[in-house]
Amino acid sequence: MPDTFELLVVDDDEGDLLLVEETLGDMDLNIHTAEDGHAALEFLRSSDNPRPHLVLLDINMPRLNGLETLKAIKSDEDLKRIPVCMLTTSHDDMDVMSAYENFANSYVTKPVELDNFANVLKDLAHFWGTSVQLPVSP
Amino acid sequence: MTQPFPVLLVDDDDGDIMLVQGALEEAGVELDLHVCHDGAEALAFLRQEPPHESAPRPRMVLMDINMPRLNGLEALKAIREDEGLRGIPVIMLTTSSDNTDVMEAYGTYANAYVTKPVDLDSFNESLGTLARYWSKTVVTTSSKRD
């Protein structure tokens, strides 16, 4: 795990953002948020911000949705190595297929029940935070 | 009832294959584990070429890097360039912690890069976390090839 794990959460639902912050708050993470795809790309492309170790990306959002944002990240030479995990209520097979074919690093659905949602977030943070070797940009 | 979760493990080292099998057993995660010994065999398996005509489409591939014939990074590239295979999650599972390999793997759209810990307990824990995350938390496509 890097010294400080920088996490970018992209979601238009303030309740969901809050839940992520609360659930992962006691882990040693720096949580950044963006309310849609445009805001996320702006965050990622600004040199003032730390490079996230992981992006959690909702799908259904106004302005620029998650799949469009994913495509933009994965076709950007500078950004494409950042792991992007879709975190969405959509169980639609087409969304799952499209996400993986556009190189989402994983696809996780948000459970409706709060406790389950918290557990899913912890699993996710545990895998990406402890088991995975992340790219280090030179 | 649990659905079988087909996983393709690609590794040329029989000792490492046994370690992975042991770790999955230890973790209590039931996977339908298939094994190929290099990248070329893995591609034949994924494309259902002889003698793999009845191979299932894996829900994830665990891919070593250093292998004869076709190494893991070359096999990953071939998978990502193949329309029918590109959506299959590929997780690099290797002893190499070389950042050049890590950068190349993510640049070729590996889903994750996991280094094999040398210590057995850490190895088992890491594999358990990986198997639980990918078989229970993550949604993967179960779509058949057409």
Side-chain angles (χ1 to χ4, degrees):
Chain A
M1 183 135 168
D3 285 347
T4 321
F5 193 97
E6 308 284 348
L7 177 70
L8 174 63
V9 189
V10 189
D11 203 314
D12 61 326
D13 185 312
E14 277 183 41
D16 283 355
L17 286 178
L18 210 63
L19 193 68
V20 174
E21 285 179 315
E22 264 176 28
T23 308
L24 302 181
D26 49 356
M27 299 176 88
D28 212 359
L29 306 175
N30 254 351
I31 303 179
H32 309 268
T33 59
E35 77 274 11
D36 61 35
H38 269 303
L41 289 176
E42 215 164 275
F43 179 94
L44 292 169
R45 286 175 177 151
S46 158
S47 54
D48 298 338
N49 298 316
R51 171 63 48 102
H53 293 99
L54 178 67
V55 177
L56 299 183
L57 189 54
D58 187 20
I59 291 190
N60 295 310
M61 294 183 294
R63 296 210 296 168
L64 193 70
N65 76 34
L67 291 171
E68 290 161 341
T69 310
L70 173 69
K71 275 183 212 172
I73 294 173
K74 293 299 179 180
S75 56
D76 183 314
E77 268 310 306
D78 184 44
L79 303 178
K80 67 179 189 182
R81 292 178 181 81
I82 301 173
V84 177
C85 181
M86 310 311 286
L87 181 64
T88 168
T89 48
S90 166
H91 288 262
D92 189 338
D93 264 352
M94 292 296 289
D95 283 343
V96 180
M97 284 276 273
S98 172
Y100 283 111
E101 287 182 352
N102 287 292
F103 311 119
N105 293 73
S106 71
Y107 189 106
V108 172
T109 51
K110 297 175 185 169
V112 181
E113 218 247 311
L114 277 191
D115 280 354
N116 291 343
F117 192 2
N119 285 334
V120 158
L121 285 174
K122 283 180 190 158
D123 272 358
L124 199 158
H126 186 59
F127 176 71
W128 291 99
T130 66
S131 285
V132 172
Q133 179 148 357
L134 299 159
V136 181
S137 301
Chain B
M1 209 183 83
T2 47
Q3 296 284 320
F5 191 91
V7 173
L8 176 61
L9 172 64
V10 191
D11 203 315
D12 61 325
D13 186 310
D14 283 327
D16 280 359
I17 292 168
M18 279 174 65
L19 277 178
V20 172
Q21 284 167 333
L24 293 175
E25 224 160 274
E26 182 92 352
V29 184
E30 271 194 51
L31 304 175
D32 172 22
L33 193 70
H34 300 260
V35 177
C36 288
H37 291 88
D38 60 50
E41 193 191 352
L43 288 178
F45 181 98
L46 295 170
R47 292 174 178 148
Q48 288 183 314
E49 288 162 6
H52 304 286
E53 291 92 336
S54 56
R57 184 181 170 93
R59 305 284 284 268
M60 78 174 166
V61 177
L62 298 177
M63 182 83 82
D64 187 22
I65 291 190
N66 295 311
M67 294 183 292
R69 294 212 293 168
L70 193 72
N71 74 34
L73 291 169
E74 291 163 337
L76 171 66
K77 191 159 181 280
I79 292 169
R80 292 303 182 236
E81 283 170 357
D82 184 317
E83 287 273 308
L85 304 180
R86 71 193 322 177
I88 299 177
V90 178
I91 295 137
M92 310 311 286
L93 183 64
T94 170
T95 46
S96 162
S97 53
D98 186 343
N99 192 50
T100 315
D101 284 342
V102 180
M103 290 292 279
E104 188 179 341
Y106 283 108
T108 316
Y109 304 116
N111 292 72
Y113 190 107
V114 175
T115 47
K116 300 174 186 165
V118 183
D119 165 70
L120 185 63
D121 284 343
S122 312
F123 184 87
N124 285 347
E125 196 185 319
S126 181
L127 257 288
T129 301
L130 190 162
R132 269 188 297 272
Y133 177 70
W134 285 92
S135 67
K136 306 232 189 296
T137 307
V138 170
V139 181
T140 51
T141 57
S142 54
S143 58
K144 297 142 228 99
R145 54 192 100 213
D146 2 79

